[in-house]
Amino acid sequence: MRYIHPLQELKVCTQSRYNGQLNIRNTERKQWAFYYHLGQLVWAIGGTHPSLWNNWTKAGLAGFSPDLAPVLIKLEELRKQVSPGVFKNFEVLINGKNTL
């Protein structure tokens, strides 16, 4: 298996309009997962982020788990307030199957 630099992998995912997950692990065995939809990076997790939970708590969100899978409600109101492309992304990504 040949080595491909992680930045090159990210670039390929964007250029090929990739849908799915790209997993990257560094030499220290830290892992990241990048989630793509039509070549757009929509979410990334992994590595070491000790301050993220602090930021989440300071924002008053401690009572809401970042692992919850949100669902859209009031779809017609939302449809009127955002562009068709943004609405479609919301429909695909905020469907009760994807966590925050």
Side-chain angles (χ1 to χ4, degrees):
M1 181 162 73
R2 77 176 225 257
Y3 172 78
I4 301 174
H5 193 278
L7 292 177
Q8 182 63 28
E9 289 188 69
L10 295 169
K11 185 177 179 181
V12 168
C13 287
T14 300
Q15 291 174 340
S16 65
R17 299 181 50 87
Y18 177 67
N19 288 311
Q21 179 179 337
L22 170 64
N23 295 306
I24 295 177
R25 182 174 47 205
N26 71 4
T27 56
E28 297 169 353
R29 303 194 60 79
K30 290 183 182 176
Q31 292 183 248
W32 292 265
F34 298 89
Y35 298 89
Y36 283 86
H37 178 70
L38 297 175
Q40 298 294 310
L41 180 63
V42 294
W43 195 256
I45 59 171
T48 305
H49 303 286
S51 66
L52 287 181
W53 181 251
N54 291 336
N55 292 342
W56 190 263
T57 303
K58 286 177 185 175
L61 299 171
F64 302 95
S65 170
D67 294 324
L68 294 176
V71 177
L72 292 175
I73 57 173
K74 299 184 181 180
L75 293 176
E76 290 312 311
E77 286 183 39
L78 180 61
R79 188 186 308 271
K80 293 175 188 175
Q81 295 180 26
V82 299
S83 71
V86 169
F87 184 78
K88 184 64 178 169
N89 284 340
F90 283 161
E91 277 188 312
V92 169
L93 298 170
I94 306 175
N95 59 11
K97 296 178 184 175
N98 302 306
T99 64
L100 298 173

